Amino acid sequence: MKILEDRIKKDGRVLGEDVLKVDNFLNHQVDPQLMQEMGDEFARLFDGEKIDKVLTVESSGIAPAIFAAAALNVPMVFARKKKSITLSSESYIADVYSFTKQETNHVMIDKRFLHEGERVLIIDDFLANGQAVTGLMEIADAANAEVVGVGIVIEKTFQKGRAMLDEKGVHVESLARIAAFEDGQVVFAD
Amino acid sequence: MKILEDRIKKDGRVLGEDVLKVDNFLNHQVDPQLMQEMGDEFARLFDGEKIDKVLTVESSGIAPAIFAAAALNVPMVFARKKKSITLSSESYIADVYSFTKQETNHVMIDKRFLHEGERVLIIDDFLANGQAVTGLMEIADAANAEVVGVGIVIEKTFQKGRAMLDEKGVHVESLARIAAFEDGQVVFAD
């Protein structure tokens, strides 16, 4: 998506070898017009699929996911992230390991908001090692819901998340695909 | 706002004496069409005010705030909530006490995203004791930004947040105002 790539070039900050900070338009300060265009683009990319619900994880997934849900005219559900949980019969729960923070969190979705046979689109801000997406897929699986596809704002193709999802046969669409960081600059995949 | 009140009557769940759960359309499962109408309504209610930025707190404030920001055509910044913080010269930080959870959290906004003289609109999902809004106002104050107003999705008029903001002369607009819960039913203020 050209306007997103341009925005990453203009406002993204590369830190170290593999970190891209986009906190001035995506995950701290948020550009609503860009979010709307991204939501429309996700709807276009998954056009033809029947989608009942959009799933994401708080907090950075919420803005892109709510505009995708608006464009698809379906509800959005965001999983809550918790450091510690008490097991409950009321929620689906999955573990999500964060490589950046080196800690395991739990994500949970109330059973009232995900049902057998529902066709869900998972949206997230980043795809790196695929931990958050895998957690949401586990939850969908536990609910006997079907994951129609995964929509990602920024994918780092050099980390293992994409390959893992491809192996599982998941339909993944990323609005920007980053192949590498070179001399502090972003190199996009074709 | 009629459609919001109708939705609260239809889908809200009153728990105990003073808790209203709206997790099926506002803060877990989210209705994007309703969020869009709420965002438009906030823009209408603060029409005539020059607004440079919308502020909120993760996570439940994000959906209404991003649509208000979209309608106003300005950026939205969501404060990050942290249990523990390391003081930093890079962020504005305020304490927010949660009466429901009986714990103090910190909210923080990167100094790059709030500037002297900026006119900000604070949006949040609930106004009860006003702790989150007060935290954001402290942050705006520390940045020498000006709080133009506070937009609330659901206000509980019987808790002390509204009175406290009125005393400070803050322009508050709430889309739904709840005067009481009676026999498990919501009673709206006039």
Side-chain angles (χ1 to χ4, degrees), chain A residues 108-123:
Chain A
M108 49 198 302
I109 289 180
D110 192 298
K111 288 186 179 176
R112 290 178 298 135
F113 305 133
L114 196 55
H115 305 109
E116 184 168 349
E118 280 188 322
R119 296 172 58 84
V120 303
L121 172 63
I122 292 172
I123 298 282

Side-chain angles (χ1 to χ4, degrees), chain A residues 17-21 26-27 96-101 122-135 150-166 172-179 181:
Chain A
E17 302 242 317
D18 60 358
V19 174
L20 173 69
K21 293 280 271 186
L26 181 58
N27 48 26
V96 172
Y97 179 74
S98 164
F99 285 86
T100 13
K101 294 181 187 165
I122 292 172
I123 298 282
D124 208 4
D125 59 338
F126 272 96
L127 177 64
N129 291 294
Q131 296 295 301
V133 169
T134 304
V150 173
I152 297 292
V153 179
I154 301 172
E155 174 189 332
K156 296 195 272 185
T157 64
F158 55 92
Q159 287 181 291
K160 66 182 184 189
R162 177 59 181 257
M164 184 195 62
L165 294 175
D166 282 348
V172 182
E173 297 280 359
S174 304
L175 303 185
R177 303 187 70 206
I178 294 177
F181 298 118

Side-chain angles (χ1 to χ4, degrees), chain A residues 27 30 58-59 76 80, chain B residues 27 30 58-59 76 80 112:
Chain A
N27 48 26
V30 188
E58 65 179 353
S59 288
M76 181 273 276
R80 293 277 183 185
Chain B
N27 48 27
V30 188
E58 66 180 350
S59 289
M76 181 273 277
R80 294 278 183 185
R112 289 177 299 135

Side-chain angles (χ1 to χ4, degrees), chain B residues 18-74:
Chain B
D18 60 356
V19 174
L20 174 70
K21 292 281 271 185
V22 287
D23 55 359
N24 55 356
F25 64 91
L26 182 59
N27 48 27
H28 187 13
Q29 179 166 261
V30 188
D31 177 341
Q33 266 65 41
L34 180 63
M35 295 305 117
Q36 174 140 27
E37 297 202 49
M38 287 174 8
D40 292 347
E41 180 69 3
F42 281 129
R44 197 189 63 76
L45 289 166
F46 291 96
D47 188 31
E49 295 278 12
K50 185 182 172 298
I51 293 168
D52 299 310
K53 201 161 271 185
V54 171
L55 297 191
T56 191
V57 178
E58 66 180 350
S59 289
S60 305
I62 294 176
I66 193 74
F67 280 102
L72 292 162
N73 200 21
V74 299

Side-chain angles (χ1 to χ4, degrees), chain A residues 83-96:
Chain A
K83 277 222 184 345
S84 60
I85 42 150
T86 42
L87 280 175
S88 150
S89 59
E90 292 171 6
S91 298
Y92 298 113
I93 298 171
D95 291 351
V96 172

Side-chain angles (χ1 to χ4, degrees), chain A:
Chain A
M1 192 184 181
K2 177 79 165 54
I3 58 161
L4 176 61
E5 291 187 1
D6 290 347
R7 190 63 175 270
I8 292 169
K9 280 184 208 160
K10 179 173 161 279
D11 285 335
R13 293 181 300 147
V14 177
L15 302 181
E17 302 242 317
D18 60 358
V19 174
L20 173 69
K21 293 280 271 186
V22 287
D23 55 359
N24 55 356
F25 64 91
L26 181 58
N27 48 26
H28 187 16
Q29 179 166 261
V30 188
D31 177 340
Q33 266 65 41
L34 180 63
M35 295 304 117
Q36 174 139 26
E37 297 203 49
M38 287 174 6
D40 292 347
E41 180 70 2
F42 281 128
R44 197 189 63 76
L45 289 166
F46 290 96
D47 188 31
E49 295 280 11
K50 186 182 171 297
I51 292 167
D52 299 310
K53 203 161 269 186
V54 172
L55 298 190
T56 191
V57 179
E58 65 179 353
S59 288
S60 306
I62 294 176
I66 193 73
F67 280 103
L72 292 162
N73 199 20
V74 298
M76 181 273 276
V77 176
F78 63 89
R80 293 277 183 185
K81 226 182 266 174
K82 306 255 182 199
K83 277 222 184 345
S84 60
I85 42 150
T86 42
L87 280 175
S88 150
S89 59
E90 292 171 6
S91 298
Y92 298 113
I93 298 171
D95 291 351
V96 172
Y97 179 74
S98 164
F99 285 86
T100 13
K101 294 181 187 165
Q102 296 195 306
E103 62 182 22
T104 297
N105 275 292
H106 311 277
V107 292
M108 49 198 302
I109 289 180
D110 192 298
K111 288 186 179 176
R112 290 178 298 135
F113 305 133
L114 196 55
H115 305 109
E116 184 168 349
E118 280 188 322
R119 296 172 58 84
V120 303
L121 172 63
I122 292 172
I123 298 282
D124 208 4
D125 59 338
F126 272 96
L127 177 64
N129 291 294
Q131 296 295 301
V133 169
T134 304
L136 289 177
M137 288 175 65
E138 284 171 25
I139 283 177
D141 207 46
N144 290 312
E146 187 177 341
V147 176
V148 170
V150 173
I152 297 292
V153 179
I154 301 172
E155 174 189 332
K156 296 195 272 185
T157 64
F158 55 92
Q159 287 181 291
K160 66 182 184 189
R162 177 59 181 257
M164 184 195 62
L165 294 175
D166 282 348
E167 255 173 51
K168 292 184 182 172
V170 181
H171 176 189
V172 182
E173 297 280 359
S174 304
L175 303 185
R177 303 187 70 206
I178 294 177
F181 298 118
E182 283 178 8
D183 305 324
Q185 299 296 309
V186 173
V187 180
F188 290 102
D190 290 333

